[in-house]
Amino acid sequence: PPLFVELIRVGERTGHLEETFQVLEEYYDQVQSIQRQFRSAMTYPVLMYLAAVGVITLLIMILGYLGGQGQAVTTDPLGLGLSGLSGATLFVAVALGLPLALLAGLKLLANKVRWQSQLEAVLLGLPAWGSAFLLLALQRCAVALRMGYQAGLSVPKVVRHALEATSNAAFTRGQDRAVAVVKKGGSLTEALQASGAPFPDEFYEYVQLGEQTGNLPEVMERLSRNYAEEAARRLRSAATATAWAIYALIALMIILAIFRIASIYLNALGQAAG
């Protein structure tokens, strides 16, 4: 990332390379911790989804087989035209293929800095997940502000790198406006406000406090840790909400299957009685 390269360059020139690496180590430790917690929180919902797909696949196969054993009606438990081995195969292909294709697409986008920035901006609007991604962007911005000031970068560079470090188009779009404010003598708080990025009032208050006391790196260090911890909590909450959504989907599919099966056999009994 541009910030990483710039900090190493300044650290070499100023003789503070060791301190720069220590700050970068702390940052990437936080990132890895958040990633591990996210994967851990999503493990159970994913297993539940796979189990549900397996159960429904067996239901389609078994009922399709029973429907072919001299029955007067073909058994289609979901009402989607899926029955027997071919229907089960199609269901598995769609139920597993779509999520895998989505994950592959997201992974591909995440490997491109420009597209990752656009993707994270879109994710801010997701229920439950949006607040977590906002906190992650704010945490990266706070870390960049801290490292930039400690390394002795010029204020315009600090502002530009701080907004770029968010990896979020909602923040990077206004970086030229923010840099222009600083070059005209404006404060860092005024520059961030001019960017039009979705900074909360709390962030402005901390930045203003750091500017007024001359301890911006220390203030940003505390703020980045707070955001990292809160982002981890929000990610766990979002994972829980996603798990409940999966449970609701599973329940809906099972209820649909029950009503379809009951309807099929009631119709068959009615035809036999007639």
Side-chain angles (χ1 to χ4, degrees), residues 38 117-140 166-168 170-171 198-200 227 230-242:
F38 171 75
S117 177
Q118 298 292 336
L119 175 62
E120 291 210 12
V122 172
L123 293 177
L124 292 181
L126 284 180
W129 292 99
S131 60
F133 282 106
L134 176 61
L135 287 169
L136 290 174
L138 294 173
Q139 185 246 352
R140 290 193 289 259
T166 62
S167 299
N168 193 308
F171 289 82
F199 287 105
Y227 280 144
E230 183 62 24
R233 284 194 291 270
R234 295 287 180 88
L235 285 172
R236 288 195 294 270
S237 298
T240 301
T242 302

Side-chain angles (χ1 to χ4, degrees), residues 150-270:
Q150 281 187 335
L153 296 179
S154 65
V155 179
K157 280 190 175 182
V158 170
V159 171
R160 186 174 295 278
H161 286 319
L163 293 175
E164 288 178 349
T166 62
S167 299
N168 193 308
F171 289 82
T172 58
R173 293 188 191 107
Q175 60 181 317
D176 291 336
R177 294 193 300 271
V179 171
V181 169
V182 171
K183 288 183 176 180
K184 291 178 181 178
S187 66
L188 178 58
T189 305
E190 292 170 340
L192 295 179
Q193 290 173 335
S195 70
F199 287 105
D201 292 337
E202 176 192 43
F203 196 93
Y204 294 129
E205 292 171 2
Y206 272 91
V207 171
Q208 192 171 28
L209 175 64
E211 286 186 300
Q212 291 174 351
T213 61
N215 294 316
L216 187 66
E218 292 81 0
V219 172
M220 288 296 102
E221 179 181 7
R222 291 196 298 271
L223 187 60
S224 66
R225 292 185 185 277
N226 291 340
Y227 280 144
E229 294 172 359
E230 183 62 24
R233 284 194 291 270
R234 295 287 180 88
L235 285 172
R236 288 195 294 270
S237 298
T240 301
T242 302
W244 281 107
I246 292 174
Y247 302 153
L249 177 62
I250 294 170
L252 179 63
M253 296 178 75
I254 292 175
I255 291 171
L256 176 63
I258 291 172
F259 277 99
R260 283 284 304 173
I261 294 169
S263 175
I264 289 170
Y265 280 97
L266 286 174
N267 287 338
L269 290 174

Side-chain angles (χ1 to χ4, degrees), residues 84-108:
L85 180 60
S86 60
T89 303
L90 179 59
F91 176 77
V92 171
V94 173
L96 298 183
L98 288 180
L100 289 175
L102 178 61
L103 288 175
L106 293 176
K107 182 66 175 177
L108 182 62

